[in-house]
């Protein structure tokens, strides 16, 4: 399988192989297909070389300098700073958006697949007021602080940003992601975000939809309590 580098990387190639190997191994460990892992590793190594390779300590030095570091919990990055940093090293910024009220297997599959597309995944989450206007009375079930915490706990999510408007366009104009992702319950051509991304050459994608999973359905089943029928997990 031949995977061309996304761009001709000018810089110190020292460390590019290690960057490739580490990225590919991590992607495979996250469940990526071999071809996905190789594509991701090629893009990451090209970005590493462009950003100065092993000669640029900022790419490999731990915050606070060399030496043993406590395994402190990963703090969610600031979405705007993350997008800037990834773009500066030639990486691909992927973003998605939604309410993510009661997180379910469909959400997690979408987020994991979205992360594999680029070099970071930023989740744009509707504020509580925005969810209430969109989803109706009694929503959100989970306040935004909890929705942020749950999303930030997923290894595939690098940062979360909240927006209060009815649609994420103003936030997208600030983040300028290369790729905008939604689930298969949407059509990319019909998304209002598609036109916004086109302003800077970005593109919108829809990814596979896991049938039978939705927050609404989860809430309905939870309300039925023990009388609810079992979900058919194979679907
Ligand atoms: N079953 C699913 N499989 C894949 N993606 C999904 C699934 N359900 C929702 N998504 C995607 O997750 C994102 C957040 O959607 P949302 O929070 O509205 O989920 P939902 O479960 O449909 O919620 P609700 O039932 O409240 O409408 C959207 O991009 C949506 O396309
Ligand atoms: O969780 P949902 O219902 O997928 O989130 C909504 O998605 C809309 C979509 O991106 C089309 O614009 C968005 O406009 C809305 O603000 C919610 O995020």
């Amino acid at each position: 399988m031949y995977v061309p580098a996304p761009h001709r990387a000018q810089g110190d190639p020292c460390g590019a192989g290690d960057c490739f190997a580490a990225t590919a191994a991590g992607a495979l460990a996250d469940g990526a297909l071999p071809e996905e892992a190789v594509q991701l590793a090629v893009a990451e190594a090209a970005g590493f070389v462009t950003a100065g390779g092993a000669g640029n300590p900022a790419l490999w030095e731990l915050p606070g300098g060399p030496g043993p570091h406590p395994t402190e919990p990963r703090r969610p990055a600031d979405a705007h700073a993350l997008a800037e940093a990834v773009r500066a090293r030639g990486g691909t910024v992927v973003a998605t958006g939604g309410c993510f009220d009661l997180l379910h297997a469909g959400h997690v599959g979408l987020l994991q697949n979205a992360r594999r597309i680029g070099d970071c995944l930023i989740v744009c989450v509707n504020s509580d007021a925005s969810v209430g206007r969109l989803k109706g009375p009694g929503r959100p079930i989970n306040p935004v602080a909890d929705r942020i915490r749950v999303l930030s706990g997923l290894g595939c999510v690098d940062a979360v940003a909240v927006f209060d408007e009815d649609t994420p366009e103003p936030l997208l104009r600030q983040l300028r992601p290369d790729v905008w992702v939604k689930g298969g319950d949407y059509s990319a051509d019909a998304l209002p975000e598609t036109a916004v991304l086109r302003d800077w050459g970005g593109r919108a994608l829809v990814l596979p939809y896991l049938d039978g999973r939705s927050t609404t359905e989860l809430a309905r089943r939870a309300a039925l309590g023990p009388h609810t029928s079992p979900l058919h997990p194979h679907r």
Side-chain angles (χ1 to χ4, degrees):
M1 178 177 80
Y2 170 68
V3 178
H7 57 273
R8 183 157 183 71
Q10 305 291 344
D12 177 358
C14 176
D18 295 332
C19 179
F20 176 93
T23 304
L28 290 169
D30 272 352
L33 297 171
E35 53 269 36
E36 290 172 327
V38 169
Q39 284 167 349
L40 185 61
V42 167
E44 194 67 19
F48 180 80
V49 172
T50 300
N56 177 358
L59 294 179
W60 44 266
E61 205 161 59
L62 289 172
H69 285 267
T71 52
E72 62 192 19
R74 188 173 66 97
R75 283 189 302 279
D78 169 75
H80 296 78
L82 177 65
E84 281 300 311
V86 169
R87 225 185 332 268
R89 69 168 203 250
T92 299
V93 178
V94 181
T96 187
C99 300
F100 296 100
D101 197 354
L102 296 181
L103 209 69
H104 52 69
H107 288 143
V108 173
L110 172 87
L111 296 169
Q112 287 177 331
N113 287 331
R115 178 63 183 81
R116 292 192 190 111
I117 293 171
D119 300 286
C120 73
L121 176 61
I122 296 169
V123 182
C124 303
V125 176
N126 295 71
S127 68
D128 289 342
S130 180
V131 172
R133 292 193 300 269
L134 184 73
K135 305 284 186 180
R139 299 293 299 275
I141 298 159
N142 269 327
V144 69
D146 284 23
R147 289 183 281 131
I148 292 169
R149 187 173 177 129
V150 168
L151 287 165
S152 302
L154 296 177
C156 57
V157 173
D158 297 292
V160 180
V162 178
F163 64 96
D164 199 37
E165 296 83 358
D166 289 345
T167 69
E169 283 122 292
L171 178 56
L172 289 181
R173 289 195 181 93
Q174 296 170 26
L175 295 172
R176 298 169 68 86
D178 302 291
V179 182
W180 174 253
V181 168
K182 293 292 288 188
D185 48 335
Y186 286 94
S187 152
D189 296 340
L191 287 170
E193 298 93 308
T194 301
V196 173
L197 268 93
R198 213 173 278 134
D199 287 352
W200 56 83
R203 60 197 168 101
L205 291 178
V206 292
L207 296 181
Y209 186 85
L210 184 61
D211 273 343
R213 275 62 166 192
S214 74
T215 295
T216 302
E217 176 59 11
L218 271 182
R220 185 191 70 78
R221 291 161 56 76
L224 289 175
H227 310 297
T228 183
S229 58
L231 187 66
H232 301 289
H234 64 278
R235 277 190 301 177

